Amino acid sequence: MGRFVVRRILQAIPVLIGVTFIIFCLVFALHGDPIQALAGEKRADPNIAAILREQYHLNDPLITQYWYYISDLARGDLGTTYNGRAISEIVSERFPVTLQLSLTAFGIEAVIGILAGIYSALRKGRFIDNLVLISTLFLISIPVFVLGNVLQLEFGVKLGITPVAGIEDGWPSSYILPGFVLASTSMAYIARLTRTSMMESVRADYVRTAIAKGLPYRRVIGVHALRNSLIPVVTFLGMDLGALMGGAIITERVFNLPGIGGQLAQSVYLRERPTVVGLVTMLVLIYLVANLVVDVLYAVLDPRIRYE
Amino acid sequence: MRGAKSAKWVVGTIVVALAATACGGSGDSSGAKSDGIVSMEIGEPQNGLVPSNTYETEGGEVIDALFTGLTRLNADNKVVNDLAASIETTDSKVWTIKLKSGYTFHNGEKVTASSFVDAWNYGANQDNAQQTNALFSHIAGYADLNPGEGKKVTTTTMSGLKAVDDSTLSVTLSASFSAFPSQLSFTGFSPLPKAFFKDPKGFGEAPIGNGPYEIKGKVKHNESISVVKYDKYPEAKDYEVKGINFKIYSNADTSYKDLVAGNIDIDDSIPTSGLATYKKDLGDRAIDESDSGVGYLGFPLKYNKYFANAKLRKAISMAIDRETIASKIFLGSRMPADDFISPIIEGYRKGACGDACTLNPTEAKKLYKESGGLPDDKLEIGYNADGDHKAWIEAVANQLQQNLGIKVTAKPFEQFATILNDLDAKKYSGVFRMGWNMDYPNMENYLAPIFSKDAIANGSNYAGYSNAEFEKDLKAGDQAPTSAEAIKQYQAADDIILDEMPYIPVYFYKLNAGYSSKIKSMRIAGGDVLWDTVKLA
């Protein structure tokens, strides 16, 4: 197991280098001039623009720029934005927000999704099952920004029980509603995934054996059936954590949360190569770690799965 | 990563969280009523809060509360002295400015003439790469601080700036410029304390101003900037508002919802989605007045020879139904343009554009025929798709198609900068969308930066328009001894472009803003809230 983990971590290095390079190329390929973007709709002062271009090596070819970036990175320096703020500062300001939001969403989707899945599997064809099926269909089909705006209007503006926007009230009150919105689609998938997988396990031979052995029902379902049913769910959850971090753009915008998503959108718009690459690299790292954790969890859930 | 394993823990926190939300939400809206603190929506400032590096409205909003300049705009959009006791000149070239006494920076340092001299020298120096650098270009000696790319700056001061004594500032311009006092009302001309020069970067995070409000703590990026009343400000008693919490939004829809929910008190950017209902939502707390912006259609005159024909440009202008665009597409948040000058500027003439800006399909068609028309009768209108422009550009395209009987396409560009690059490279030869927002309230600011010959290289003259007669009138305006005389000369210049139409003025922007029931009345001028006019309920 230890060797497996080390190997996976080593594998991440070329992935990271490749990703930064590809992202760098992609942002480089975008039309538009970052220095002109700073000046908005007025023409950037040509003299000042030239000086800034020089300062940020914008006149150099792609490879040279990438080399500057990578060698700074090797020294632990993420660089500065074109208006002079340290990118590391932006990351440390914004990451906690996205992390809190994603983890809130993750918690909501895991708990509600799995519980709803189990209940509907055990009460197949009954009222609760139909309720879960219909409500998940509803959540899957409704776009995130619609759900976000509607809930914001109802709970924030009309009822006034949650903040409309911003993070001033801190965790959890500022994060519950956006977290729920962000979690909604995945929550529905998890409920359905758990339901299907659970229904299969309940009919499986080993579960029947366990019941025949006279084990208490609670233990049969909670340990024997659930443990096996969770394997696909954990895969989904692991992948989803990465997706949550990157996919928060819309939710963060609707609820005005100063997280990574909003910053990423803004930086792409401003053609801030170093910032975009820095943020995306972080997201990739999280994705890699989440996948590693999923792989390790497999072994915990199902001892039959061997790694070496 | 607390997955399914610690489900109990997560459920527990959610229950606690829901309970906390229910209390938290109702608690803060009632607590903030009577403390004299108001909150206002802004966007994230682009740069650190240094006056000379702030050329955009979001940061400008905060700078305006923190700093006091020599002149300011009053509620009638007139330029009046602020920190200046008097501004005198005989030839619009040498200016003597006397300062009022009693003003200090928030760290206690006295505001003197050298506070201005040092700040302006810093702003004008190309090594410091300040966004407002070009605004200082009228001052004698500016060229020494801006030798150009790759060349060393050999001095740190402009020869035209002199602090005669603590309260007298003498400014010599390189050429007469009658609009100088209005230019001084722009926040880029604010004074700076000595502490700034020791650590410009740190200053941007916690600026020390000389205005009615001082910063509380530091800038909280993407979250908020709080300022509180500076009690030693000489006119402090005129300011009812004890503190301002600038809340930073990335989305105007969200800030508007917060205004309706009573979570913020001032929102000066009502989103398109709110325009249809905001007057009903807010009642007499809605603000709907003229603003400084102008929207145009521009022509790449310098290299598309078809557009060089003024008749053709006029034909296009007369085929546009400005009324429909302003009232239907923009839901009344714009008004039909009838001059190149904004209605809030002294010198604006209602209906100056006359027939050329009035819908007249028959006449337009006739003019189009006379002009010889376009190749294949095809026209393209480029716009940047990141702004709110698609709807009106497509409407204009339809109107031109119908009224002129030609084929018109609307072409989206991802950013305005992309259009500019293509124009510079002479790659784009269609009509393009353009907009202008003033830097300082003077007719000159609507003419020189957009239509003068100098502005082809250094300003926003994207059309590449040049006209000797226009230059002459502009210069006469700059040299005029009185502002009334200047206006007359600038109007003559305005007449020339109204006749030639290098750009087509389409609409004037309007200010659509609103405030909460915590505020009784307030005024906004030149895009900034006049904090001394804010009266609390």
PDB file of all heavy atoms in Angstrom, chain A residues 108-132:
ATOM      1  N   ILE A 108     -23.171  17.780   2.308  1.00  0.00           N
ATOM      2  CA  ILE A 108     -24.602  17.732   2.031  1.00  0.00           C
ATOM      3  C   ILE A 108     -24.920  16.615   1.045  1.00  0.00           C
ATOM      4  O   ILE A 108     -25.823  15.806   1.262  1.00  0.00           O
ATOM      5  CB  ILE A 108     -25.089  19.097   1.478  1.00  0.00           C
ATOM      6  CG1 ILE A 108     -25.004  20.153   2.571  1.00  0.00           C
ATOM      7  CG2 ILE A 108     -26.515  18.987   0.945  1.00  0.00           C
ATOM      8  CD1 ILE A 108     -25.338  21.554   2.119  1.00  0.00           C
ATOM      9  N   GLU A 109     -24.145  16.548  -0.030  1.00  0.00           N
ATOM     10  CA  GLU A 109     -24.479  15.546  -1.045  1.00  0.00           C
ATOM     11  C   GLU A 109     -24.222  14.136  -0.548  1.00  0.00           C
ATOM     12  O   GLU A 109     -24.988  13.221  -0.841  1.00  0.00           O
ATOM     13  CB  GLU A 109     -23.750  15.817  -2.368  1.00  0.00           C
ATOM     14  CG  GLU A 109     -22.264  15.539  -2.352  1.00  0.00           C
ATOM     15  CD  GLU A 109     -21.623  15.765  -3.717  1.00  0.00           C
ATOM     16  OE1 GLU A 109     -21.861  16.835  -4.283  1.00  0.00           O
ATOM     17  OE2 GLU A 109     -20.907  14.883  -4.188  1.00  0.00           O
ATOM     18  N   ALA A 110     -23.166  13.965   0.236  1.00  0.00           N
ATOM     19  CA  ALA A 110     -22.860  12.630   0.727  1.00  0.00           C
ATOM     20  C   ALA A 110     -23.952  12.164   1.695  1.00  0.00           C
ATOM     21  O   ALA A 110     -24.517  11.075   1.545  1.00  0.00           O
ATOM     22  CB  ALA A 110     -21.494  12.612   1.411  1.00  0.00           C
ATOM     23  N   VAL A 111     -24.254  13.009   2.666  1.00  0.00           N
ATOM     24  CA  VAL A 111     -25.204  12.591   3.701  1.00  0.00           C
ATOM     25  C   VAL A 111     -26.619  12.433   3.131  1.00  0.00           C
ATOM     26  O   VAL A 111     -27.215  11.349   3.199  1.00  0.00           O
ATOM     27  CB  VAL A 111     -25.210  13.613   4.859  1.00  0.00           C
ATOM     28  CG1 VAL A 111     -26.321  13.273   5.833  1.00  0.00           C
ATOM     29  CG2 VAL A 111     -23.874  13.608   5.541  1.00  0.00           C
ATOM     30  N   ILE A 112     -27.131  13.501   2.529  1.00  0.00           N
ATOM     31  CA  ILE A 112     -28.506  13.427   2.027  1.00  0.00           C
ATOM     32  C   ILE A 112     -28.607  12.413   0.907  1.00  0.00           C
ATOM     33  O   ILE A 112     -29.530  11.595   0.851  1.00  0.00           O
ATOM     34  CB  ILE A 112     -28.993  14.814   1.560  1.00  0.00           C
ATOM     35  CG1 ILE A 112     -28.898  15.794   2.733  1.00  0.00           C
ATOM     36  CG2 ILE A 112     -30.420  14.730   1.030  1.00  0.00           C
ATOM     37  CD1 ILE A 112     -29.433  17.159   2.449  1.00  0.00           C
ATOM     38  N   GLY A 113     -27.625  12.418  -0.006  1.00  0.00           N
ATOM     39  CA  GLY A 113     -27.662  11.512  -1.149  1.00  0.00           C
ATOM     40  C   GLY A 113     -27.670  10.050  -0.709  1.00  0.00           C
ATOM     41  O   GLY A 113     -28.511   9.267  -1.144  1.00  0.00           O
ATOM     42  N   ILE A 114     -26.745   9.693   0.167  1.00  0.00           N
ATOM     43  CA  ILE A 114     -26.646   8.283   0.575  1.00  0.00           C
ATOM     44  C   ILE A 114     -27.875   7.864   1.379  1.00  0.00           C
ATOM     45  O   ILE A 114     -28.467   6.800   1.134  1.00  0.00           O
ATOM     46  CB  ILE A 114     -25.342   8.038   1.368  1.00  0.00           C
ATOM     47  CG1 ILE A 114     -24.145   8.203   0.424  1.00  0.00           C
ATOM     48  CG2 ILE A 114     -25.342   6.642   1.979  1.00  0.00           C
ATOM     49  CD1 ILE A 114     -22.801   8.096   1.085  1.00  0.00           C
ATOM     50  N   LEU A 115     -28.273   8.724   2.330  1.00  0.00           N
ATOM     51  CA  LEU A 115     -29.452   8.374   3.146  1.00  0.00           C
ATOM     52  C   LEU A 115     -30.687   8.201   2.263  1.00  0.00           C
ATOM     53  O   LEU A 115     -31.424   7.211   2.377  1.00  0.00           O
ATOM     54  CB  LEU A 115     -29.704   9.456   4.198  1.00  0.00           C
ATOM     55  CG  LEU A 115     -28.718   9.453   5.385  1.00  0.00           C
ATOM     56  CD1 LEU A 115     -29.092  10.534   6.377  1.00  0.00           C
ATOM     57  CD2 LEU A 115     -28.710   8.082   6.051  1.00  0.00           C
ATOM     58  N   ALA A 116     -30.883   9.152   1.338  1.00  0.00           N
ATOM     59  CA  ALA A 116     -32.064   9.065   0.469  1.00  0.00           C
ATOM     60  C   ALA A 116     -31.992   7.805  -0.380  1.00  0.00           C
ATOM     61  O   ALA A 116     -33.002   7.100  -0.576  1.00  0.00           O
ATOM     62  CB  ALA A 116     -32.148  10.294  -0.425  1.00  0.00           C
ATOM     63  N   GLY A 117     -30.793   7.472  -0.864  1.00  0.00           N
ATOM     64  CA  GLY A 117     -30.615   6.280  -1.683  1.00  0.00           C
ATOM     65  C   GLY A 117     -30.960   5.013  -0.917  1.00  0.00           C
ATOM     66  O   GLY A 117     -31.681   4.139  -1.408  1.00  0.00           O
ATOM     67  N   ILE A 118     -30.445   4.926   0.315  1.00  0.00           N
ATOM     68  CA  ILE A 118     -30.698   3.724   1.126  1.00  0.00           C
ATOM     69  C   ILE A 118     -32.195   3.577   1.403  1.00  0.00           C
ATOM     70  O   ILE A 118     -32.786   2.513   1.180  1.00  0.00           O
ATOM     71  CB  ILE A 118     -29.936   3.803   2.472  1.00  0.00           C
ATOM     72  CG1 ILE A 118     -28.436   3.783   2.207  1.00  0.00           C
ATOM     73  CG2 ILE A 118     -30.329   2.636   3.372  1.00  0.00           C
ATOM     74  CD1 ILE A 118     -27.608   4.013   3.443  1.00  0.00           C
ATOM     75  N   TYR A 119     -32.809   4.677   1.843  1.00  0.00           N
ATOM     76  CA  TYR A 119     -34.236   4.591   2.180  1.00  0.00           C
ATOM     77  C   TYR A 119     -35.073   4.194   0.982  1.00  0.00           C
ATOM     78  O   TYR A 119     -35.958   3.357   1.077  1.00  0.00           O
ATOM     79  CB  TYR A 119     -34.726   5.925   2.761  1.00  0.00           C
ATOM     80  CG  TYR A 119     -34.535   5.960   4.247  1.00  0.00           C
ATOM     81  CD1 TYR A 119     -33.502   6.678   4.824  1.00  0.00           C
ATOM     82  CD2 TYR A 119     -35.386   5.225   5.080  1.00  0.00           C
ATOM     83  CE1 TYR A 119     -33.299   6.681   6.182  1.00  0.00           C
ATOM     84  CE2 TYR A 119     -35.192   5.218   6.448  1.00  0.00           C
ATOM     85  CZ  TYR A 119     -34.141   5.941   6.999  1.00  0.00           C
ATOM     86  OH  TYR A 119     -33.958   5.929   8.332  1.00  0.00           O
ATOM     87  N   SER A 120     -34.756   4.803  -0.168  1.00  0.00           N
ATOM     88  CA  SER A 120     -35.613   4.493  -1.307  1.00  0.00           C
ATOM     89  C   SER A 120     -35.369   3.053  -1.780  1.00  0.00           C
ATOM     90  O   SER A 120     -36.283   2.390  -2.255  1.00  0.00           O
ATOM     91  CB  SER A 120     -35.444   5.516  -2.420  1.00  0.00           C
ATOM     92  OG  SER A 120     -34.331   5.239  -3.184  1.00  0.00           O
ATOM     93  N   ALA A 121     -34.143   2.540  -1.615  1.00  0.00           N
ATOM     94  CA  ALA A 121     -33.874   1.152  -2.008  1.00  0.00           C
ATOM     95  C   ALA A 121     -34.633   0.185  -1.115  1.00  0.00           C
ATOM     96  O   ALA A 121     -35.185  -0.827  -1.570  1.00  0.00           O
ATOM     97  CB  ALA A 121     -32.380   0.874  -1.935  1.00  0.00           C
ATOM     98  N   LEU A 122     -34.656   0.509   0.191  1.00  0.00           N
ATOM     99  CA  LEU A 122     -35.315  -0.408   1.146  1.00  0.00           C
ATOM    100  C   LEU A 122     -36.834  -0.310   1.083  1.00  0.00           C
ATOM    101  O   LEU A 122     -37.546  -1.186   1.545  1.00  0.00           O
ATOM    102  CB  LEU A 122     -34.827  -0.112   2.574  1.00  0.00           C
ATOM    103  CG  LEU A 122     -33.327  -0.345   2.785  1.00  0.00           C
ATOM    104  CD1 LEU A 122     -32.936  -0.068   4.225  1.00  0.00           C
ATOM    105  CD2 LEU A 122     -32.925  -1.765   2.384  1.00  0.00           C
ATOM    106  N   ARG A 123     -37.339   0.831   0.556  1.00  0.00           N
ATOM    107  CA  ARG A 123     -38.792   0.995   0.465  1.00  0.00           C
ATOM    108  C   ARG A 123     -39.196   1.044  -1.003  1.00  0.00           C
ATOM    109  O   ARG A 123     -39.927   1.928  -1.413  1.00  0.00           O
ATOM    110  CB  ARG A 123     -39.222   2.313   1.119  1.00  0.00           C
ATOM    111  CG  ARG A 123     -38.773   2.516   2.536  1.00  0.00           C
ATOM    112  CD  ARG A 123     -39.869   2.140   3.527  1.00  0.00           C
ATOM    113  NE  ARG A 123     -39.536   2.551   4.872  1.00  0.00           N
ATOM    114  CZ  ARG A 123     -38.519   2.014   5.576  1.00  0.00           C
ATOM    115  NH1 ARG A 123     -37.745   1.096   5.043  1.00  0.00           N
ATOM    116  NH2 ARG A 123     -38.295   2.423   6.810  1.00  0.00           N
ATOM    117  N   LYS A 124     -38.633   0.157  -1.768  1.00  0.00           N
ATOM    118  CA  LYS A 124     -38.834   0.181  -3.213  1.00  0.00           C
ATOM    119  C   LYS A 124     -40.325   0.183  -3.579  1.00  0.00           C
ATOM    120  O   LYS A 124     -41.104  -0.612  -3.065  1.00  0.00           O
ATOM    121  CB  LYS A 124     -38.161  -1.041  -3.840  1.00  0.00           C
ATOM    122  CG  LYS A 124     -38.040  -0.907  -5.326  1.00  0.00           C
ATOM    123  CD  LYS A 124     -37.351  -2.110  -5.928  1.00  0.00           C
ATOM    124  CE  LYS A 124     -37.610  -2.123  -7.415  1.00  0.00           C
ATOM    125  NZ  LYS A 124     -37.998  -3.418  -7.897  1.00  0.00           N
ATOM    126  N   GLY A 125     -40.701   1.118  -4.459  1.00  0.00           N
ATOM    127  CA  GLY A 125     -42.073   1.166  -4.940  1.00  0.00           C
ATOM    128  C   GLY A 125     -43.038   1.870  -4.002  1.00  0.00           C
ATOM    129  O   GLY A 125     -44.187   2.124  -4.348  1.00  0.00           O
ATOM    130  N   ARG A 126     -42.546   2.206  -2.801  1.00  0.00           N
ATOM    131  CA  ARG A 126     -43.432   2.881  -1.866  1.00  0.00           C
ATOM    132  C   ARG A 126     -43.336   4.393  -2.053  1.00  0.00           C
ATOM    133  O   ARG A 126     -42.621   4.897  -2.916  1.00  0.00           O
ATOM    134  CB  ARG A 126     -43.048   2.503  -0.415  1.00  0.00           C
ATOM    135  CG  ARG A 126     -42.853   1.009  -0.211  1.00  0.00           C
ATOM    136  CD  ARG A 126     -43.979   0.399   0.586  1.00  0.00           C
ATOM    137  NE  ARG A 126     -43.981   0.853   1.975  1.00  0.00           N
ATOM    138  CZ  ARG A 126     -43.299   0.220   2.955  1.00  0.00           C
ATOM    139  NH1 ARG A 126     -42.557  -0.837   2.670  1.00  0.00           N
ATOM    140  NH2 ARG A 126     -43.386   0.648   4.183  1.00  0.00           N
ATOM    141  N   PHE A 127     -44.057   5.118  -1.187  1.00  0.00           N
ATOM    142  CA  PHE A 127     -44.121   6.572  -1.324  1.00  0.00           C
ATOM    143  C   PHE A 127     -42.735   7.219  -1.308  1.00  0.00           C
ATOM    144  O   PHE A 127     -42.386   8.026  -2.160  1.00  0.00           O
ATOM    145  CB  PHE A 127     -45.001   7.139  -0.216  1.00  0.00           C
ATOM    146  CG  PHE A 127     -44.960   8.643  -0.168  1.00  0.00           C
ATOM    147  CD1 PHE A 127     -45.633   9.402  -1.133  1.00  0.00           C
ATOM    148  CD2 PHE A 127     -44.247   9.320   0.817  1.00  0.00           C
ATOM    149  CE1 PHE A 127     -45.589  10.775  -1.105  1.00  0.00           C
ATOM    150  CE2 PHE A 127     -44.201  10.700   0.851  1.00  0.00           C
ATOM    151  CZ  PHE A 127     -44.880  11.424  -0.101  1.00  0.00           C
ATOM    152  N   ILE A 128     -41.919   6.824  -0.301  1.00  0.00           N
ATOM    153  CA  ILE A 128     -40.617   7.487  -0.153  1.00  0.00           C
ATOM    154  C   ILE A 128     -39.732   7.272  -1.385  1.00  0.00           C
ATOM    155  O   ILE A 128     -39.007   8.150  -1.823  1.00  0.00           O
ATOM    156  CB  ILE A 128     -39.914   7.008   1.144  1.00  0.00           C
ATOM    157  CG1 ILE A 128     -38.648   7.840   1.429  1.00  0.00           C
ATOM    158  CG2 ILE A 128     -39.517   5.551   1.065  1.00  0.00           C
ATOM    159  CD1 ILE A 128     -38.785   8.706   2.618  1.00  0.00           C
ATOM    160  N   ASP A 129     -39.838   6.063  -1.975  1.00  0.00           N
ATOM    161  CA  ASP A 129     -39.059   5.756  -3.172  1.00  0.00           C
ATOM    162  C   ASP A 129     -39.462   6.679  -4.322  1.00  0.00           C
ATOM    163  O   ASP A 129     -38.611   7.277  -4.990  1.00  0.00           O
ATOM    164  CB  ASP A 129     -39.282   4.292  -3.549  1.00  0.00           C
ATOM    165  CG  ASP A 129     -38.375   3.864  -4.695  1.00  0.00           C
ATOM    166  OD1 ASP A 129     -37.272   4.434  -4.800  1.00  0.00           O
ATOM    167  OD2 ASP A 129     -38.785   2.978  -5.461  1.00  0.00           O
ATOM    168  N   ASN A 130     -40.755   6.792  -4.520  1.00  0.00           N
ATOM    169  CA  ASN A 130     -41.240   7.664  -5.593  1.00  0.00           C
ATOM    170  C   ASN A 130     -40.843   9.121  -5.345  1.00  0.00           C
ATOM    171  O   ASN A 130     -40.475   9.842  -6.267  1.00  0.00           O
ATOM    172  CB  ASN A 130     -42.762   7.556  -5.724  1.00  0.00           C
ATOM    173  CG  ASN A 130     -43.141   6.242  -6.377  1.00  0.00           C
ATOM    174  OD1 ASN A 130     -42.463   5.784  -7.291  1.00  0.00           O
ATOM    175  ND2 ASN A 130     -44.195   5.607  -5.878  1.00  0.00           N
ATOM    176  N   LEU A 131     -40.927   9.523  -4.080  1.00  0.00           N
ATOM    177  CA  LEU A 131     -40.547  10.898  -3.735  1.00  0.00           C
ATOM    178  C   LEU A 131     -39.089  11.155  -4.110  1.00  0.00           C
ATOM    179  O   LEU A 131     -38.753  12.166  -4.732  1.00  0.00           O
ATOM    180  CB  LEU A 131     -40.762  11.119  -2.229  1.00  0.00           C
ATOM    181  CG  LEU A 131     -40.451  12.536  -1.756  1.00  0.00           C
ATOM    182  CD1 LEU A 131     -41.536  13.487  -2.215  1.00  0.00           C
ATOM    183  CD2 LEU A 131     -40.312  12.576  -0.240  1.00  0.00           C
ATOM    184  N   VAL A 132     -38.220  10.203  -3.748  1.00  0.00           N
ATOM    185  CA  VAL A 132     -36.798  10.361  -4.065  1.00  0.00           C
ATOM    186  C   VAL A 132     -36.594  10.399  -5.577  1.00  0.00           C
ATOM    187  O   VAL A 132     -35.871  11.253  -6.096  1.00  0.00           O
ATOM    188  CB  VAL A 132     -35.969   9.227  -3.420  1.00  0.00           C
ATOM    189  CG1 VAL A 132     -34.558   9.207  -3.990  1.00  0.00           C
ATOM    190  CG2 VAL A 132     -35.928   9.414  -1.920  1.00  0.00           C
TER     191      VAL A 132
END
